[in-house]
Amino acid sequence: MKLYPLFADLSHRAVLVVGGGAVAERKIAGLLGAQAQVTVNAPTLTPQLQRWAAEGRIAHRRDAFQESWLDRVWLVVAATSDVELNQVIATFAGLRRIFVNVVDDAALSSFHVPAVVDRAPLTIAISSGGEAPMLARLLRERLETLLDHSLGALATLAARLRRRIRLRHPDLAARRRFYESLFTGPVATLLRQGRPEEARQAAEQALATVSAASTGSVVLVGAGPGDPGLLTLRALRALNEADVILHDRLVSAEVLDLARRDAERIEVGKQAGHHHTTQDGIHALLLQHARAGRRIVRLKGGDPFVFGRGGEELEFLRDHGIPYEVVPGITAAVACAAYAGVPLTHRDHAQSVRFVTAHCQSSRDTLDWAALAQERQTLAVYMGVAELGELRARLIERGREPSTPFALIENGSRPEQRVITGTLANLAERAAFHAVRSPALLILGEVAALAASLAWFGSPPLGATVHEIPVPSVARPVRADILAAVHRA
C-alpha cells in the first residue's frame, strides 16, 4: 500500500490554498464542505471564489506567497501553474511537517485528494496515489450508481442508537449480527422508501426485542489456488460475515486480506511432516467457537471437497449439532491447468481426467496404478512433489509411455507461478533441476504438451534445455526405449 488512507477532521482548522483558478475552486469547495477555515493566496480569483470571499466564507490574500503564512495552518494546497512556486511551497511545508498537496504533481505531494462518494456521514474515498486520477474518478462514478443515497440516513440512525446498541448487546458477535440486520433488513428498506419515522420505529422495536442466545455456525469455504479474483461472491460474503476464520497454510495472504479486519484468524495448516494443528485439533476449535455463538469460516485452499478433508469436518459438525453450509472453491487442478494453458480434457488427446493424491505410502498403495497408466487420459496429481520418482516408476511399470508429456505447476494462479514441462522419463530430474517446491500440481498426459503453445499467464513454461541431462531413476532395469526417450527430451 503506497499511501496510508485517513480522513482528516478540518472543522474550524486553518488551511492555505495558493492559487485562484478553477482547480483551486474545486479544492476549496471540498474544504468548505469539511468546514475548514480557508485562506486563498492569489492575485485574481474565479467569480465563484470572489463571491465566497465577499460572503466571508474564505479569506483572500493578493500579495506574493510568504513562508510565514504557514505558521498556523494544518494543510496546504498548491494549485498554481507556476512550477517553481509550487516547489517552494512544498519545500517550506515539508520543513514544517505540514501536509501539502501540489495539484498534478504526485512527487511533491505528501497527501492526495481522493475522488469521493458522499453519503454523509458515510464517505468513500478512492485514490490512485496520484498515478491515475481518471481511473479513480471512473470508479467513483460507478459507485455513485451502486450506493443508494439513503445510506447517509442509515448511518445517522445507527450513530444515534450506537450507545444503546452497545449496552443492549455487549457481546461483539451479537452486536455485529444486530447491525447487519439493521443495515440489510426492514429499517434499510423503509429509509430507501423515504419513510424515516417508520424506519426509526422499526429500529427501536428491533432494539427492544429479546433475542435468544444462538449456537454458532460454520461455513466451509473453498479459497481457490491463491488468486483472490477466483473467489466466488458467496465466499467473499462469508469472509465478511465471519467472527473467526480457521485457514489452511496455503491460503494466500491476498485472500485473507478480503476478510473483515476484526475477524480472528487462526492458522491450522498441515503439511507433510509438520502438522501444526491435527485434524482432531481443528475439530475441537470448530466446536469451541461454534458453542460460543460465533460464525466460523473454515477456509481451505482449492475446494474443500477435493482432498481437503471437508467431508470429515462436516461429519463432525453434524454429529455435534452445529449448523453448516459449504461454499465450493475452484480446485487446484482446474485453476492451475487453466492458468498454465493446459486443458484437462481435449477431443484429440484426453477423454477423461483423474484427480489423484500420492503424498504418503498409504495413499500410493491404494491407487489402481494400471488404470492410472492408461493413455488418452489426464492425471492431475496433488501433493506429489516429494514422490515424483516413485510416481514415475510405478506408472512406467504399468505401461505408461516414458514420452508422456507433463506440466508441473508451482504456485498456480499466483504472480510467482512457474510451469516446468518435460516428459515422464525426466520428471523427477526436471523438478529437482528447477528446485520445485510445494504448492505444486502435476498434470500428466498428452494435453500437458499444449502448455508450450497455450500459456497465457506469468512467465513462459520452462522447457528442457541442452544444459540439462536428465537421468531416470526408476526402480527397475532401464529399458532402451526409456533411454531413447530421455535423450529425445
Side-chain angles (χ1 to χ4, degrees):
M1 185 168 61
K2 182 179 178 181
L3 298 178
Y4 183 78
L6 57 84
F7 287 86
D9 180 4
L10 296 178
S11 178
H12 306 298
R13 291 187 166 101
V15 176
L16 175 65
V17 177
V18 183
V23 174
E25 180 183 315
R26 290 198 301 270
K27 303 296 183 183
I28 292 169
L31 291 167
L32 291 178
Q35 300 180 355
Q37 292 181 343
V38 180
T39 297
V40 184
N41 169 219
T44 60
L45 301 177
T46 66
Q48 181 62 66
L49 291 178
Q50 291 176 16
R51 284 191 290 271
W52 285 341
E55 295 167 359
R57 299 185 64 188
I58 60 175
H60 180 206
R61 285 178 164 170
R62 291 182 172 83
D63 45 337
F65 169 78
Q66 300 177 32
E67 181 188 356
S68 61
W69 293 352
L70 301 175
D71 285 346
R72 289 176 294 276
V73 302
W74 292 73
L75 287 178
V76 180
V77 176
T80 79
S81 57
D82 186 332
V83 176
E84 292 184 2
L85 175 58
N86 289 342
Q87 174 72 64
V88 168
I89 296 169
T91 300
F92 284 139
L95 291 173
R96 293 169 177 258
R97 298 175 182 171
I98 299 172
F99 283 113
V100 61
N101 173 253
V102 179
V103 175
D104 293 332
D105 195 331
L108 289 179
S109 300
S110 54
F111 82 94
H112 299 267
V113 180
V116 172
V117 180
D118 185 4
R119 300 291 185 270
L122 181 68
T123 305
I124 300 171
I126 307 161
S127 173
S128 64
E131 301 295 333
M134 291 303 298
L135 177 59
R137 291 170 194 163
L138 175 63
L139 292 177
R140 181 192 66 79
E141 291 172 5
R142 292 184 179 179
L143 289 174
E144 286 281 5
T145 65
L146 293 174
L147 302 177
D148 194 89
H149 282 268
S150 65
L151 287 174
L154 185 59
T156 300
L157 178 60
R160 290 173 181 170
L161 298 175
R162 183 178 181 183
R163 183 174 179 276
R164 292 168 57 192
I165 293 171
R166 290 178 65 89
L167 293 174
R168 186 70 180 82
H169 298 287
D171 177 72
L172 180 59
R175 191 186 317 151
R176 186 178 298 118
R177 285 191 287 274
F178 178 84
Y179 272 119
E180 288 172 357
S181 66
L182 185 71
F183 295 153
T184 61
V187 173
T189 300
L190 289 167
L191 286 173
R192 283 196 300 270
Q193 295 172 348
R195 299 153 68 184
E197 181 57 26
E198 293 178 54
R200 184 193 64 77
Q201 293 174 5
E204 294 279 359
Q205 182 178 356
L207 192 55
T209 301
V210 177
S211 57
S214 61
T215 302
S217 60
V218 177
V219 184
L220 195 60
V221 175
D227 181 353
L230 297 180
L231 278 180
T232 65
L233 292 176
R234 180 67 189 92
L236 183 59
R237 190 178 309 122
L239 286 172
N240 281 280
E241 293 173 352
D243 303 312
V244 180
I245 300 171
L246 305 183
H247 64 91
D248 289 348
R249 178 181 63 90
L250 295 181
V251 173
S252 70
E254 292 80 6
V255 169
L256 287 172
D257 284 344
L258 296 176
R260 205 181 63 240
R261 290 291 181 262
D262 59 342
E264 181 180 358
R265 293 161 171 79
I266 304 174
E267 182 181 334
V268 291
K270 300 190 293 291
Q271 64 183 115
H274 302 281
H275 283 205
H276 301 296
T277 307
T278 65
Q279 192 62 44
D280 287 341
I282 294 172
H283 291 167
L285 285 169
L286 291 171
L287 186 61
Q288 170 192 336
H289 289 289
R291 285 181 171 170
R294 300 185 179 99
R295 287 177 296 185
I296 306 154
V297 162
R298 175 67 177 102
L299 191 62
K300 292 174 173 287
D303 182 272
F305 279 5
V306 180
F307 304 127
R309 303 186 76 169
E312 297 175 39
E313 294 179 8
L314 290 197
E315 289 174 330
F316 175 84
L317 295 170
R318 177 203 60 197
D319 292 344
H320 289 81
I322 305 300
Y324 60 81
E325 61 180 292
V326 181
V327 179
I330 298 180
T331 189
V334 173
C336 293
Y339 274 63
V342 177
L344 291 176
T345 62
H346 190 288
R347 184 170 59 178
D348 296 332
H349 304 295
Q351 283 70 52
S352 65
V353 58
R354 292 174 181 258
F355 293 172
V356 182
T357 179
H359 68 289
C360 63
Q361 186 66 43
S362 59
S363 64
R364 292 193 297 274
D365 289 342
T366 58
L367 293 174
D368 184 350
W369 290 99
L372 296 178
Q374 294 175 6
E375 295 183 350
R376 298 185 66 81
Q377 69 171 339
T378 304
L379 299 184
V381 184
Y382 291 68
M383 299 174 283
V385 172
E387 312 297 335
L388 293 177
E390 183 172 354
L391 177 73
R392 172 181 61 190
R394 294 206 185 200
L395 288 172
I396 291 178
E397 285 175 356
R398 298 307 192 280
R400 191 80 182 205
E401 287 296 326
S403 59
T404 303
F406 77 81
L408 191 56
I409 305 160
E410 181 185 74
N411 291 308
S413 85
R414 305 187 189 200
E416 62 271 25
Q417 172 180 298
R418 290 196 305 164
V419 180
I420 292 87
T421 59
T423 64
L424 181 58
N426 60 24
L427 169 60
E429 289 72 31
R430 300 233 57 229
F433 182 86
H434 289 286
V436 175
R437 296 289 182 267
S438 178
L441 183 127
L442 170 65
I443 298 177
L444 182 71
E446 289 73 12
V447 294
L450 295 173
S453 58
L454 300 183
W456 62 273
F457 178 81
S459 302
L462 300 170
T465 69
V466 296
H467 302 292
E468 298 177 58
I469 307 177
V471 179
S473 54
V474 295
R476 64 184 176 89
V478 180
R479 303 196 317 253
D481 59 340
I482 296 180
L483 288 176
V486 170
H487 289 300
R488 285 198 302 272

